[in-house]
Amino acid sequence: MVDEALTAGAAARRLGVAVTTLRTWHQRYGLGPSQHSPGRHRRYTVEDMQRLEVMRRLTARGMTPAEAAGWARRAVVPMDVAMPSSLGHAAPTDAAARQRRDGPTAAGQPSRGRDLADAGKLSRGGGPTDAGKPGRGGGPTDAREPRRGGGPTVASARAGPAARGVARAAARLDAASVRDLLETHVADHGVVAAWHEVIMPVLVGVGERYAATQRFIEVEHVVSRCVAEVLGAVPRPSPGAPTRILLAAADEEQHTLPLEALAAALAELGVPCRSLGARVPPQALDDAVARTGPTAVVLWSQQRQTADPGQLGRLLDGPHRPLLVAAAGPGWDRAELPDTVPVLGSLPEAVTAVMAVADPARPRIDLRWC
Ligand code: B12
């Protein structure tokens, strides 16, 4: 981390913004460098840079700096800032309560500060107790190091301690611990932070391992199932409120987890949505739109093969055209989409875009720039 920390000039170059902009973001919105070594200027850590990257992307898409800074802070939660109560859960899960009671992450001490050993202690399944020693469960001790047992190393290079803990548990196929760790992070930090800090790095790591080896699909399935369960368990708004948001994966598209994260993040904000899940054929989507009259439809495509602009075009041309028809996921090619269809590039961006339609009292973003 120390070596990766950047000076203001280097951080500005990497982000493609002026140093004065960085200063403004620091002074007005508290998005400054957090690493301090005696006798040196403060430096931007990897986490500082992740926050600033969210800030840069959202402001570039027309969001006000104040609102973008709010998302940037939530996307990567700092040690000393609690999540706003509107984004946390009123009732902590059992896992969260247990962790606060027993673990090194007592109330007020967020999981970001945990080291590898601490992350291991949270596992129920006899996980590693020291970063340098093999775990009892046979999983790798540090997802970045070669392991001695039988499981893969599945955390991406960007993974922090919490993500590495999840990756270790996943490598042992220890679903109970994966769920436990994820539940705790979601309960303590909210869905957006959990997605960016823990879930995404683990998924990316799993994908990298699969791409390199064509193996470990069993790990991918354990992780996917646990992520879906934990996101699905985030309390939904009470029934009765009109549901104006429709989420679906494109025809033949099996990847749905980002949409599940979006549904959970919206639920935290009190916004109900309807999820059609994986592999939704065009006719089924048309019918769902006709029957439910959503104001916003988000269609996810993870792969080029499933991204058919025609599936979105039908909604725009149909008799029940929603206010917002958005494409989401790396499968889409912006150049092939109608101008009126924004491509949502991140979870915070998707939440904000959908909220702008679901709750018109909130400030609008100029979606043409997304
Ligand atoms: C979990 C997973 C699965 C699970 C999905 C379970 C589920 N319910 O979703 C299962 C096991 C079903 C699966 C199946 C397959 N998978 Co798969 N899978 C993954 C994995 C590990 C995570 C997917 C995911 O959720 N990604 C979401 C985030 C973590 O990644 P991302 O999309 O790149 O994130 C970017 C943006 O989308 C954005 N973003 C992130 N989060 C959010 C949230 C919102 C709301 C928005 C708007 C944006 C956004 O930010 C990121 C940076 O730009 C990926 C690896 C990966 N890196 O994604 C492979 C991956 C997507 N799968 C892959 C493949 C090949 C397959 C299969 C074809 C395998 C097979 N041979 O059967 C099948 C697909 C079948 C089909 N027809 O769809 C490849 C795709 C290659 C390609 N480019 O086309 C990947 C990349 C793995 C790899 N490296 O090879 N998979």
Side-chain angles (χ1 to χ4, degrees):
M1 183 76 97
V2 171
D3 293 334
E4 289 168 6
L6 301 175
T7 61
R13 274 194 301 282
R14 187 167 293 184
L15 291 162
V17 302
V19 175
T20 47
T21 305
L22 273 194
R23 284 207 194 99
T24 308
W25 288 352
H26 182 190
Q27 285 157 6
R28 292 205 190 144
Y29 309 113
L31 297 172
S34 55
Q35 189 183 86
H36 183 58
S37 311
R40 294 173 74 188
H41 286 298
R42 281 180 182 269
R43 285 175 178 252
Y44 290 85
T45 64
V46 171
E47 287 167 3
D48 296 333
M49 291 302 290
Q50 285 170 354
R51 268 183 223 109
L52 289 170
E53 180 57 31
V54 173
M55 181 74 178
R56 186 195 63 74
R57 288 189 60 156
L58 295 181
T59 50
R61 280 159 182 72
M63 194 183 282
T64 63
E67 195 173 4
W71 282 114
R73 281 192 293 269
R74 281 173 221 151
V76 185
V77 181
M79 293 239 280
D80 51 352
V81 177
M83 288 295 281
S85 56
S86 65
L87 285 179
H89 296 303
T93 60
D94 289 345
R98 187 167 51 249
Q99 186 195 351
R100 288 199 193 90
R101 192 183 61 231
D102 302 332
T105 55
Q109 204 178 334
S111 53
R112 177 168 294 284
R114 264 187 252 145
D115 60 16
L116 282 174
D118 293 335
K121 275 183 215 156
L122 287 173
S123 308
R124 285 191 204 133
T129 53
D130 186 306
K133 294 177 192 157
R136 277 178 275 152
T141 54
D142 183 325
R144 293 164 308 177
E145 292 169 7
R147 63 177 306 283
R148 295 187 217 158
T153 57
V154 291
S156 78
R158 287 177 39 216
R164 293 205 295 275
V166 171
R168 282 198 300 270
R172 299 194 302 269
L173 303 181
D174 177 359
S177 296
V178 172
R179 262 194 308 273
D180 205 4
L181 291 163
L182 292 179
E183 269 174 17
T184 301
H185 212 85
V186 169
D188 286 352
H189 301 299
V191 170
V192 173
W195 180 254
H196 280 267
E197 292 172 1
V198 182
I199 300 171
M200 265 185 66
V202 172
L203 289 174
V204 169
V206 167
E208 284 167 356
R209 290 298 289 173
Y210 171 75
T213 62
Q214 301 295 302
R215 288 184 56 209
F216 308 119
I217 291 172
E218 71 285 6
V219 177
E220 186 168 312
H221 281 287
V222 165
V223 171
S224 298
R225 187 164 177 81
C226 292
V227 168
E229 285 173 359
V230 169
L231 293 173
V234 171
R236 290 334 199 223
S238 357
T243 303
R244 298 269 178 249
I245 316 295
L246 184 62
L247 311 181
D251 196 10
E252 295 305 330
E253 178 59 70
Q254 287 183 19
H255 299 92
T256 55
L257 296 177
L259 285 185
E260 292 170 51
L262 177 55
L266 289 169
E268 279 185 332
L269 294 163
V271 177
C273 67
R274 187 173 275 110
S275 298
L276 301 182
R279 303 174 69 176
V280 181
Q283 185 63 53
L285 188 58
D286 291 352
D287 291 347
V289 168
R291 295 226 292 281
T292 64
T295 50
V297 174
V298 178
L299 190 63
W300 182 269
S301 165
Q302 186 77 37
Q303 311 154 90
R304 297 281 309 188
Q305 308 89 281
T306 66
D308 173 13
Q311 192 168 10
L312 294 161
R314 293 163 66 117
L315 301 180
L316 297 174
D317 298 338
H320 306 279
R321 180 183 174 145
L323 277 177
L324 171 68
V325 174
W332 298 106
D333 179 350
R334 191 183 303 259
E336 292 177 356
L337 295 172
D339 288 347
T340 48
V341 173
V343 181
L344 306 174
S346 70
L347 179 56
E349 196 179 324
V351 171
T352 310
V354 166
M355 290 290 292
V357 178
D359 181 1
R362 287 173 64 92
R364 282 192 168 256
I365 322 166
D366 185 348
L367 292 170
R368 282 170 307 162
W369 298 105
C370 289

